[in-house]
Structure formats: structure tokens, C-alpha cells
Amino acid sequence: MTVDRIEGRSVCAMAVGDWFELTNSAHLRLPEGKHFCVYALASVLPFLAAKQRDLAAGDWLAQDSHFACPDPEERLIMKVERTCRRRMNSSELT
């Protein structure tokens, strides 16, 4: 997840290019010394589990990779990109 653009004013001190990674299905990784706004994070979390799976070609979520922070003053736009694929054994998950 990367901050793609900010169309308003950056209220939470985020900048274009700020990012986090979701690895191993549920491990959130931030660059050392950086932060990611909890409200922006909360707005995209429900979609990340779905974006990790293979989606049907006609599914809107397969086509769309941009998500917006809920702060109307900020208009922070984030982009989800898959950086790698990994096969997980479902018996190892809860």
C-alpha cells in the first residue's frame, strides 16, 4: 500500500510515497521511523484480505486498486499493489 497522491492538505503528516506492506497474510510492516495514519489504514484494511486472493476477471476489486482515506479535507489516495505471490497451507492458518 503506497500513498499515491494527496489532493487536499496532509492533516496526518503523510506524504506521497509513504507505504506499508502486508506480508504472510497478516503481518504489517512499516519502514523504520515511519508511520501510517490509523484512519487511512482502517479504511483499506477490509479490502486487503480480498486483494490477497485471486479474483475473477469481472470482479470490481480485481480492476480497482485505489482507496481513499475517509478524511474529506485530506483526500489521501492510496494504491494497493501485489508485490509477490505466496502459497499458504490453510491448515497452518486459524
Side-chain angles (χ1 to χ4, degrees), residues 4-17:
D4 188 58
R5 62 189 183 273
I6 300 173
E7 298 173 343
R9 60 186 180 96
S10 182
V11 178
C12 61
M14 300 279 299
V16 171

Side-chain angles (χ1 to χ4, degrees), residues 22-77:
L22 187 62
T23 61
N24 299 328
S25 178
H27 298 172
L28 191 67
R29 186 175 80 81
L30 292 165
E32 177 120 11
K34 293 295 220 167
H35 76 283
F36 208 91
C37 172
V38 69
Y39 300 107
L41 180 62
S43 70
V44 76
L45 279 179
F47 300 101
L48 292 181
K51 292 290 277 183
Q52 291 181 68
R53 294 175 174 80
D54 289 325
L55 299 168
D59 190 320
W60 72 269
L61 198 51
Q63 309 298 319
D64 202 346
S65 61
H66 287 89
F67 297 87
C69 175
D71 186 336
E73 290 291 317
E74 192 159 40
R75 295 189 309 279
L76 182 135
I77 308 298

Side-chain angles (χ1 to χ4, degrees), residues 21-25 51-54 80-88:
E21 286 182 327
L22 187 62
T23 61
N24 299 328
S25 178
K51 292 290 277 183
Q52 291 181 68
R53 294 175 174 80
D54 289 325
V80 176
E81 294 180 281
R82 184 185 302 250
T83 57
C84 66
R85 290 191 171 278
R86 181 177 166 201
R87 182 167 295 283
M88 297 183 73

